[in-house]
Amino acid sequence: SAVISQKPSRDICQRGTSLTIQCQVDSQVTMMFWYRQQPGQSLTLIATANQGSEATYESGFVIDKFPISRPNLTFSTLTVSNMSPEDSSIYLCSVALGRTEAFFGQGTRLTVV
Amino acid sequence: GENVEQHPSTLSVQEGDSAVIKCTYSDSASNYFPWYKQELGKRPQLIIDIRSNVGEKKDQRIAVTLNKTAKHFSLHITETQPEDSAVYFCAAQRQRGSGNTGKLIFGQGTTLQVKP
């Protein structure tokens, strides 16, 4: 497995502001993903963070709202922009080891007030 | 599009009984099926997985079965214990490579309660 550090672990933000979440892995990984988990719900993939190129976004998610950076094989950031209360959720980064197994960071619990 | 259906949404069993959670997937190209356990306030943890070339896999009290023809797979927990209480998620994935990113599509989750 890999050690995945995600920060902040939680934050309370004012609507209209932006928050950047960081994900650091202790080894180089090819694939990094960002998920959203709304209260009491399942995990929904936001995007695949691609090293050296633009992220690949899933239907319903756009770069202007969720810009993602992936400057190297161990680090990625997700920004939640122009936040509204509907963005209150847990955001999780995930890394894929080998060809299949995926492991998660501890998550960022975001509350927008 | 890709979809994974998971049932039941909640499951309550007595300690020592067995629990079964079932998932159905839509993408016939899926060939990897992990199960995650998420305790309250914690990250999802991989507990067992199965690949499409295998019909069943066991790890102590947990087992997973896969029926590729019917496109469904199940998690079986035997001799349940209170610490098994959590939310369980199934997922399906196309193997990474050949243009596939290896993204996971998750089921809706099952809240398992094991009563002492």
Side-chain angles (χ1 to χ4, degrees), chain A residues 2 4 30-31 33 35 37 40-45 48 50 56 58 90 92 94 96-107 109, chain B residues 2 6 31-32 36 38 40-46 49 51 87 89-90 93-97 100-109:
Chain A
I4 307 167
T30 305
M31 307 302 296
F33 304 91
Y35 287 84
Q37 187 174 28
Q41 302 295 312
S42 185
L43 291 88
T44 301
L45 181 65
T48 302
N50 301 309
T56 304
E58 297 298 307
I90 297 172
L92 297 125
S94 169
L97 301 183
R99 300 183 72 180
T100 48
E101 291 87 353
F103 298 91
F104 287 87
Q106 68 267 43
R109 184 180 294 274
Chain B
E2 304 145 327
Q6 182 173 345
N31 56 10
Y32 174 66
Y36 288 85
Q38 188 176 33
L40 191 63
K42 302 271 184 74
R43 75 187 81 189
Q45 296 273 14
L46 178 67
D49 55 16
R51 290 174 171 77
V87 180
F89 293 98
C90 64
Q93 181 197 64
R94 290 188 185 186
Q95 188 169 286
R96 225 167 16 90
N100 296 320
T101 64
K103 64 183 181 183
L104 288 169
I105 305 300
F106 283 86
Q108 296 88 340

Side-chain angles (χ1 to χ4, degrees), chain A residues 27-67:
Chain A
S27 58
Q28 292 185 340
V29 295
T30 305
M31 307 302 296
M32 294 181 77
F33 304 91
W34 287 97
Y35 287 84
R36 181 174 73 184
Q37 187 174 28
Q38 294 178 307
Q41 302 295 312
S42 185
L43 291 88
T44 301
L45 181 65
I46 297 172
T48 302
N50 301 309
Q51 194 268 327
S53 64
E54 195 171 280
T56 304
Y57 289 84
E58 297 298 307
S59 176
F61 297 96
V62 294
I63 188 171
D64 289 347
K65 177 67 175 177
F66 297 102

Side-chain angles (χ1 to χ4, degrees), chain B residues 15-72:
Chain B
E15 181 177 2
D17 287 352
S18 295
V20 180
I21 304 170
K22 299 182 179 181
C23 289
T24 303
Y25 60 98
S26 62
D27 183 0
S28 57
S30 297
N31 56 10
Y32 174 66
F33 308 93
W35 286 88
Y36 288 85
K37 174 184 181 183
Q38 188 176 33
E39 296 174 331
L40 191 63
K42 302 271 184 74
R43 75 187 81 189
Q45 296 273 14
L46 178 67
I47 57 172
I48 194 168
D49 55 16
I50 190 167
R51 290 174 171 77
S52 58
N53 58 346
V54 176
E56 182 176 359
K57 182 177 179 181
K58 290 183 74 173
D59 183 2
Q60 299 182 355
R61 296 188 297 109
I62 59 173
V64 57
T65 59
L66 171 65
N67 182 327
K68 278 199 69 179
T69 303
K71 291 193 285 188
H72 67 69

